[in-house]
Amino acid sequence: MKYSTIIVSTLILTSVITSCKKEGCTDPSATNYDKKAKKDNGYCEYAADHKEILKAIGTNVVVATYNDLANNTSSLYDAVNDFIANPSAAKLDNCRNLWKFSRSSWECSEGFLFGPVATEEIDPRIDTWPVDYNAMETLLSGSTDFTVDANIDALDDALKGFHPIEYILWGANGTKTYSDFTLREKEYLKALAKNVKKLTSDLVQGWNVNASGSFYTSFTAPGPGNTFYPTTKSVFEELVNGIAGICDEVANGKISEPFTQHNPSLEESPYSQNSIKDFTDNIRSVENIYMGKYTSDGQGLENLVRAHNLSLDNTIKTKISNAITKIQAITDPFGTAITSQATLVQNAINAINDLKSTLEGDLLLLVQQYVTD
């Protein structure tokens, strides 16, 4: 079929007009509504509901992480009992794997070290390092009754929690076999696993969504009369300070101290060689709070930022990703890498500190500017 010149010209003109329609957000209720836009581009942004963000973070990140942590430490305790009852290489490996699962959940919670984990001093009781293994050996050679819970509670923080468990499971050189365990080590291991199980269960109860007076209520319902958070702004500031704080601890404590002092004995998880995973999970905790996700996705700090500053949102996400990438670029065990991969270690420190600066600077300023209730 042959089209006439008039018809062809009309089609071309129509196509040009259609293709030249201005795209943008066409929803008047959106914060980036463009009244000149004729075609919606699918990128409308909406004002953030501050308290809905807090509820989402409280439920999808904090409570979900603590539930996972408690389930993993409960499984670890059961596995320890199973190993003690009938030791084998396979059962020892199971204990070690469950320690790592529990450890990951804990490290993913360190972006929000406020609430019961701080007020009840659960953090130091569960995660003090380095292990004083000489004091541990003295304890093991003594007569302390490990079956009495109060005796474990009374121990110095460096003698309980994740790292003494790690030391017993792997041994000082990471080469311990299932037949190397003494009776006293088994008794101590069981008591430590029981204590960690209890402490993580306490965290779940402290953030119980349905319990009146739980910290979850304080976190999600700020206002007059709230002992912890008299304003919504104070909760958002707590969140930002929490994620900036763990960046500071990872960069300038966990990584920098062993590195600058050339002292591998200051490493966080040396016996299991799990330190790089620890550092990564700590930055994941920053990402989880910012994105509002753990096992499921929801609203996070990004929803507040995107409502006001898309460029900052992109910057924060890029810096989180870069920090994780730089940590994972360290391929040697961390205690070795502080010497063998010094440049890579310094790169990780720099990337994490770069993220920290943006969080405690630009992000905190945005929160203080836009969260006024």
Side-chain angles (χ1 to χ4, degrees):
M1 179 182 293
K2 185 177 180 180
Y3 290 98
S4 72
T5 302
I6 295 175
I7 294 175
V8 172
S9 298
T10 302
L11 288 172
I12 293 173
L13 181 61
T14 301
S15 175
V16 169
I17 292 172
T18 301
S19 63
C20 289
K21 283 184 178 179
K22 178 177 172 60
E23 291 191 357
C25 176
T26 59
D27 185 349
S29 66
T31 57
N32 61 336
Y33 167 63
D34 185 348
K35 64 181 180 181
K36 296 181 179 180
K38 303 301 181 182
K39 182 180 180 181
D40 193 88
N41 62 3
Y43 291 98
C44 289
E45 298 291 337
Y46 299 91
D49 185 319
H50 300 157
K51 291 189 177 179
E52 286 302 313
I53 291 174
L54 296 180
K55 288 179 182 177
I57 291 175
T59 303
N60 297 330
V61 182
V62 179
V63 172
T65 304
Y66 283 150
N67 282 337
D68 191 43
L69 173 63
N71 288 336
N72 285 335
T73 56
S74 180
S75 295
L76 172 61
Y77 176 66
D78 292 341
V80 164
N81 279 303
D82 188 35
F83 168 71
I84 291 171
N86 189 18
S88 70
K91 290 184 178 182
L92 176 56
D93 283 343
N94 188 40
C95 290
R96 289 171 172 172
N97 287 333
L98 285 166
W99 181 90
K100 288 183 177 181
F101 291 151
S102 300
R103 185 74 187 154
S104 181
S105 299
W106 167 254
E107 295 296 278
C108 282
S109 78
E110 290 204 298
F112 41 93
L113 288 175
F114 48 78
V117 71
T119 58
E120 302 302 316
E121 298 186 337
I122 292 175
D123 177 20
R125 288 190 284 162
I126 210 172
D127 193 25
T128 293
W129 86 93
V131 171
D132 185 348
Y133 57 85
N134 289 323
M136 282 185 60
E137 293 299 339
T138 299
L139 179 65
L140 287 166
S141 64
S143 58
T144 299
D145 186 350
F146 295 133
T147 65
V148 178
D149 294 344
N151 288 344
I152 302 301
D153 289 332
L155 292 175
D156 184 82
D157 288 338
L159 294 176
K160 56 193 174 188
F162 280 114
H163 297 297
I165 294 175
E166 176 196 11
Y167 177 77
I168 295 175
L169 287 177
W170 273 270
N173 299 314
T175 58
K176 195 170 187 177
T177 68
Y178 77 94
S179 59
D180 293 331
F181 285 72
T182 67
L183 177 60
R184 285 285 286 172
E185 285 178 329
K186 292 175 183 176
E187 292 173 346
Y188 187 31
L189 175 63
K190 179 178 179 178
L192 291 174
K194 181 181 180 182
N195 185 253
V196 169
K197 175 185 175 181
K198 177 187 181 300
L199 291 173
T200 56
S201 177
D202 289 346
L203 285 175
V204 171
Q205 290 306 310
W207 280 84
N208 191 325
V209 174
N210 299 312
S212 175
S214 76
F215 194 81
Y216 177 87
T217 302
S218 296
F219 180 80
T220 58
N226 187 320
T227 304
F228 296 99
Y229 303 115
T231 64
T232 303
K233 177 188 287 188
S234 64
V235 192
F236 276 88
E237 289 175 332
E238 180 93 275
L239 284 167
V240 176
N241 289 330
I243 58 178
I246 192 58
C247 287
D248 181 60
E249 182 178 343
V250 175
N252 305 312
K254 294 184 178 187
I255 299 179
S256 184
E257 288 182 5
F259 177 57
T260 57
Q261 296 182 42
H262 306 290
N263 187 352
S265 71
L266 299 177
E267 181 181 356
E268 184 173 22
S269 299
Y271 313 112
S272 59
Q273 295 189 353
N274 201 62
S275 296
I276 299 298
K277 182 69 164 60
D278 284 351
F279 307 153
T280 301
D281 283 334
N282 281 160
I283 305 305
R284 293 285 184 205
S285 74
V286 175
E287 182 179 50
N288 292 348
I289 289 291
Y290 188 74
M291 302 287 286
K293 65 181 179 63
Y294 183 64
T295 53
S296 60
D297 200 358
Q299 294 190 73
L301 290 177
E302 69 162 343
N303 293 83
L304 173 67
V305 178
R306 289 181 63 83
H308 303 287
N309 191 331
L310 288 173
S311 177
L312 177 58
D313 175 62
N314 181 66
T315 296
I316 292 172
K317 289 173 180 174
T318 299
K319 290 187 177 184
I320 290 172
S321 177
N322 185 50
I324 292 172
T325 297
K326 291 297 192 293
I327 292 170
Q328 294 182 335
I330 303 169
T331 54
D332 287 346
F334 183 66
T336 302
I338 59 176
T339 301
S340 64
Q341 296 182 320
T343 299
L344 296 179
V345 173
Q346 186 62 61
N347 289 344
I349 293 172
N350 294 344
I352 300 166
N353 273 325
D354 186 35
L355 170 62
K356 176 179 80 79
S357 295
T358 298
L359 298 177
E360 67 186 10
D362 295 338
L363 178 57
L364 186 58
L365 285 174
L366 183 142
V367 162
Q368 292 171 337
Q369 179 179 358
Y370 292 107
V371 184
T372 57
D373 48 333

